[in-house]
Amino acid sequence: MLEVADVIRLHGAAYREQAGAALSSVQKRALRDISTCRTPFFGGHVHQCDHCQEKIFSYHSCRNRSCPKCHQDQTIRWIEKQRGHLLPCSYFLVTFPLPSELRPLARPHPKKIYGLLMKAAADALQKLANDPHSLGARIGALAVLHTWTRAMLFHPHVHMLVTAGGLSSDCSAWIDSKHPHFLVPVRALSVIFRAKFCAGLKKAELLNRVDPTLWKKPWVVHCQPAGRGDKVLDYLGRYVFRIAITNNRMESLDNGQVRFRYRDNQTQQIRHVTLPALEFIGRFLQHVLPRGCVKVRYYGIWSPSHRRQLDRARMFLPAVEPVIDSSVPLLLAPSAVPVSHPCPLCHHGVLTLVQTLPAQRSHSP
């Protein structure tokens, strides 16, 4: 199967030469790690079959947070942990896109703009939810930053999984949203979001770099029911530990042209994109977050500092028996006894560890 790593191995050097000083150290590291993931560079183990005596080489993952091949177990653990925090109530998915006029500002200042995007979205939502005319309660919200479309174009936005209701100000009751398809007035939410973002830019001394007419244009915020939250959580979890594209969407690499597929949001039809390899790498790298940039945040009663309120809210909601998803593989606890691995070649013997391969980490990114 074609992988992003294959494209980088073949064309990464040419891209580095083309990008030059514009390539950040984090992007250089991502190129190196992804291209050497599960190769001798990161070391590994050698197992030998006790029946056919054949040796099986197993190399370590790079663990880079942008790698499409890593983090499967970490993703499963994260999703299961978040499911444990879900309250037995309905949810909404609220999406706050960054206006296109602000995307040029996000490129040179990603850490500031992404952080402000998440904060302005959360502050606006909490302010409106606290208003008795809208909801009059303290909600819980999980925010995840995305910077891409399914075609890997640059489109920063924040997805927020939000409780369809919240804890009253005196923590004495749970207040449900007034309508199953309506959380807060979206137009009012857009106005507050715009004002919060404008104030944040002013504080960051970046307001003078934005066209003043932007603050007179309507901003767009999407809000839709999300059932019990499980499906949205699964979707968000896929990209908490990776970015932009998964390897199973890669189709071909021929004559320096990369072809991949995606599902159109509007029509739900499968579409195909063919790009020169260097452009493909460029699209991928623009979603590599700078060092220290936080991708996931928790607000309201889901905030770590308000976990007592979360427990309090759970008291007012009906208890629900946990549902075990058989499609999610169970992970061994650290104290569990390791399972013997059968030989994938002869299918009769059992693999035994015979050698540990050291990592070759002396190379610079």
Side-chain angles (χ1 to χ4, degrees):
M1 182 180 73
L2 179 65
E3 298 179 350
V4 173
D6 297 321
V7 181
I8 295 176
R9 290 186 192 112
L10 287 173
H11 301 279
Y15 184 84
R16 289 188 190 93
E17 184 177 353
Q18 180 188 79
L23 206 58
S24 70
S25 61
V26 178
Q27 291 172 326
K28 291 178 183 177
R29 183 63 176 262
L31 286 176
R32 189 207 69 177
D33 287 354
I34 294 171
S35 65
T36 54
C37 184
R38 299 186 188 180
T39 70
F41 182 84
F42 287 101
H45 297 89
V46 182
H47 292 80
Q48 188 170 25
C49 176
D50 62 3
H51 179 77
C52 67
Q53 303 303 313
E54 289 292 334
K55 292 184 177 180
I56 306 294
F57 289 79
S58 176
Y59 297 114
H60 294 159
S61 301
C62 68
R63 309 303 292 173
N64 191 294
R65 70 172 177 171
S66 301
C67 181
K69 194 158 52 175
C70 291
H71 312 295
Q72 180 178 1
D73 290 350
Q74 195 174 1
T75 298
I76 294 172
R77 284 193 294 268
W78 183 87
I79 292 175
E80 287 304 302
K81 182 179 179 181
Q82 305 315 311
R83 279 182 178 157
H85 292 158
L86 285 180
L87 292 168
C89 65
S90 298
Y91 288 84
F92 285 90
L93 174 63
V94 188
T95 304
F96 296 82
L98 186 72
S100 58
E101 293 89 343
L102 287 170
R103 293 173 199 168
L105 186 63
R107 292 185 183 275
H109 304 283
K111 195 171 179 180
K112 288 184 178 180
I113 298 301
Y114 296 159
L116 177 57
L117 175 62
M118 298 183 82
K119 186 178 187 306
D123 288 351
L125 185 57
Q126 290 182 112
K127 179 180 177 63
L128 202 53
N130 286 334
D131 187 337
H133 293 92
S134 297
L135 181 63
R138 186 177 185 87
I139 57 173
L142 164 66
V144 178
L145 172 69
H146 284 181
T147 63
W148 58 86
T149 66
R150 295 185 180 184
M152 291 206 306
L153 296 173
F154 189 60
H155 179 56
H157 57 282
V158 172
H159 288 305
M160 300 186 77
L161 181 62
V162 185
T163 54
L167 196 61
S168 62
S169 58
D170 60 358
C171 299
S172 64
W174 176 265
I175 301 174
D176 285 312
S177 59
K178 298 177 181 179
H179 193 280
H181 299 287
F182 180 84
L183 179 62
V184 294
V186 176
R187 289 187 180 180
L189 181 61
S190 302
V191 172
I192 299 173
F193 173 48
R194 182 182 62 189
K196 295 283 186 183
F197 201 98
C198 180
L201 280 182
K202 184 177 181 179
K203 185 176 180 180
E205 299 182 347
L206 293 172
L207 187 59
N208 60 345
R209 303 190 186 186
V210 179
D211 185 345
T213 60
L214 175 62
W215 312 115
K216 297 180 181 180
K217 294 181 179 180
W219 285 31
V220 178
V221 175
H222 300 280
C223 183
Q224 63 189 78
R228 307 302 281 188
D230 294 77
K231 291 184 178 180
V232 171
L233 196 58
D234 289 341
Y235 167 72
L236 296 178
R238 293 176 208 162
Y239 291 102
V240 166
F241 300 102
R242 61 184 67 165
I243 61 169
I245 189 171
T246 53
N247 283 327
N248 60 10
R249 290 206 283 129
M250 303 287 290
E251 293 190 335
S252 64
L253 173 59
D254 296 312
N255 299 318
Q257 300 288 312
V258 181
R259 177 182 166 94
F260 66 92
R261 67 180 178 273
Y262 71 95
R263 186 178 297 277
D264 187 278
N265 276 332
Q266 301 297 325
T267 65
Q268 295 302 305
Q269 298 296 312
I270 298 296
R271 298 190 179 276
H272 302 269
V273 178
T274 301
L275 299 172
L278 299 190
E279 184 178 345
F280 174 86
I281 294 175
R283 279 200 192 186
F284 181 83
L285 288 179
Q286 67 183 338
H287 307 297
V288 173
L289 297 179
R291 189 174 286 106
C293 187
V294 179
K295 198 172 187 177
V296 180
R297 292 186 184 274
Y298 305 87
Y299 299 98
I301 58 176
W302 273 347
S303 170
S305 61
H306 292 90
R307 286 298 163 85
R308 288 186 179 181
Q309 292 185 6
L310 180 64
D311 294 336
R312 183 74 175 170
R314 203 178 296 275
M315 293 173 54
F316 299 112
L317 293 167
V320 177
E321 289 293 326
V323 178
I324 299 176
D325 188 349
S326 59
S327 67
V328 177
L330 296 177
L331 300 176
L332 288 175
S335 60
V337 177
V339 178
S340 299
H341 296 285
C343 177
L345 301 178
C346 70
H347 304 290
H348 294 292
V350 174
L351 297 179
T352 303
L353 178 66
V354 296
Q355 185 182 359
T356 298
L357 303 174
Q360 305 168 11
R361 296 193 175 219
S362 58
H363 300 278
S364 60

